[in-house]
Amino acid sequence: MVVLGTGGTIAGTASNPADNIGYTAAQVGVAQLLAAVPALKTVLRDHDLVSEQVAQVDSKDMRFDVWLSLAQRVVHHLAQADVSAVVITHGTDTLEETAYFLHAVLPPALINEKPVVLTCAMRPASAQSPDGPQNLMDAAAVALTPGAHGVVVVCAGTVHSGLDVQKAHTYKIDAFNSGDAGPLAYVEEGQVRIVKNWPLAFMDKGHIAIKDIPDAALWPRVEIVMNYAGCGGEVVDALLYPREGVAPLRGLVVAGTGNGTMHHDLEAALRRAVLAGVTVVRSTRCAQGRVLATTQSEFPHAQGLSPVKARVALLLSLLSA
Ligand code: SIN
């Protein structure tokens, strides 16, 4: 099993062990994190453990170049016959975006056979009672479960599909949920209790091969705007305004109200954006449910994706267009 480190709170430290929030993320190397969990050996049994530091970032600062190297390193390791799974340690803040990105770009033949398990922590490694070690143990148990495959997320004893997972709590250790879809499995004392099928890769629509993804500096600019009471179109107009050194806007995801609805002033500005060549997609600011097509809605909906995931999907579809 290979563990790739990218940073996050799981690798964070605070000067006071009693402080669960005043820490600096991404301080401890992944090899050191693993060494601090000797009980992992019981989960690994006769499997070898190899680790690699791919990045060391607070995931609020996640960058496209990190995503690309992460995807490349996952492919490299998963393609080895003697590697049965890859675990990734990651910050919780943008974990769902990374999970969606990996789901969309990793070769279907690999992830339909082997699992990529993202895990994280809500408390820093230096905490009196950190949650990272148990999450690592649970992630390893999932990674080594016979038949496991696809991009999944393990946090607080719950396994989520990378497609459905979203961070739902700012503080609780059990910070993620899978919305209407519900979790994929639970990990109980090292045993994985599966309640749904493992996720299957996108086969054509939605999948883009890593070799077809250009350098991160060339990715199209896609932003998110939200609808709210008193909303106007000024933000959209400002985004359309050309600025030196800033790539032109290519896509906009609207976190609409309810079923992806929007103030008529915002809607008018979005029409101007479409005329300027921007692709507009409708998502919702509701944490649960999906935007459904209606006869009145002129902008396409986000196929059930949350605004942040819809943004990744739109980015990738603009890249492959
Ligand atoms: C991060 O996302 O890197 C910091 C927050 C966390 O991991 O909980």
Side-chain angles (χ1 to χ4, degrees):
M1 187 180 90
V2 174
V3 183
L4 304 178
T6 70
T9 294
I10 190 167
T13 54
S15 51
N16 176 1
D19 191 349
N20 288 322
I21 55 169
Y23 59 86
T24 309
Q27 300 300 302
V28 184
V30 64
Q32 200 181 328
L33 286 181
L34 295 169
V37 192
L40 253 180
K41 282 199 190 78
T42 58
V43 184
L44 288 170
R45 294 181 306 270
D46 49 354
H47 290 268
D48 288 335
L49 180 64
V50 171
S51 69
E52 180 182 325
Q53 196 75 48
V54 173
Q56 188 63 301
V57 293
D58 184 323
S59 83
K60 71 177 172 57
D61 301 320
M62 185 48 72
R63 305 185 313 265
F64 297 154
D65 62 310
V66 174
W67 274 0
L68 262 186
S69 19
L70 180 62
Q72 283 156 354
R73 295 313 292 157
V74 173
V75 171
H76 167 82
H77 289 293
L78 277 191
Q80 313 302 314
D82 59 348
V83 173
S84 53
V86 168
V87 170
I88 300 171
T89 56
H90 197 288
T92 60
D93 285 345
T94 58
L95 183 146
E96 67 213 67
E97 291 162 68
T98 301
Y100 185 87
F101 172 75
L102 292 175
H103 182 91
V105 306
L106 292 175
L110 280 183
I111 57 168
N112 282 342
E113 268 203 8
K114 298 181 182 183
V116 176
V117 184
L118 290 109
T119 194
C120 55
M122 288 296 282
R123 293 180 180 167
S126 59
Q128 211 151 236
S129 174
D131 52 330
Q134 186 64 50
N135 285 345
L136 274 172
M137 301 257 294
D138 292 348
V142 170
L144 300 176
T145 297
H149 60 80
V151 178
V152 301
V153 172
V154 174
C155 182
T158 307
V159 188
H160 305 272
S161 155
L163 279 180
D164 301 317
V165 71
Q166 53 187 346
K167 187 167 179 181
H169 205 281
T170 56
Y171 180 72
K172 281 187 188 167
I173 280 173
D174 191 1
F176 288 89
N177 72 35
S178 290
D180 287 350
L184 198 72
Y186 300 96
V187 191
E188 295 152 343
E189 297 298 302
Q191 298 299 310
V192 180
R193 178 163 59 90
I194 302 164
V195 292
K196 265 183 15 192
N197 292 333
W198 298 99
L200 282 172
F202 298 137
M203 290 316 280
D204 38 36
K205 204 172 170 327
H207 173 70
I208 171 169
I210 297 173
K211 66 171 176 43
D212 297 331
I213 303 180
D215 196 74
L218 300 173
W219 290 22
R221 188 154 77 96
V222 178
E223 304 286 356
I224 300 174
V225 292
M226 187 186 265
N227 190 48
Y228 38 81
C231 186
E234 296 82 0
V235 172
V236 173
D237 290 332
L239 286 169
L240 290 175
Y241 197 79
R243 275 192 301 145
E244 211 183 310
V246 178
L249 187 70
R250 298 278 316 283
L252 260 181
V253 174
V254 190
T257 29
N259 190 31
T261 57
M262 56 200 85
H263 192 289
H264 51 74
D265 288 344
L266 176 61
E267 200 162 33
L270 290 170
R271 284 189 199 113
R272 293 194 284 280
V274 170
L275 287 176
V278 174
T279 305
V280 173
V281 169
R282 254 174 353 109
S283 180
T284 175
R285 63 183 219 183
C286 291
Q288 309 259 331
R290 57 185 292 140
V291 172
L292 302 166
T294 66
T295 46
Q296 302 100 312
S297 49
E298 60 191 270
F299 306 111
H301 64 79
Q303 310 285 342
L305 296 174
S306 66
V308 290
K309 285 186 180 171
R311 173 174 175 265
V312 180
L314 179 51
L315 232 153
L316 293 175
S317 86
L318 290 169
L319 273 176
S320 57

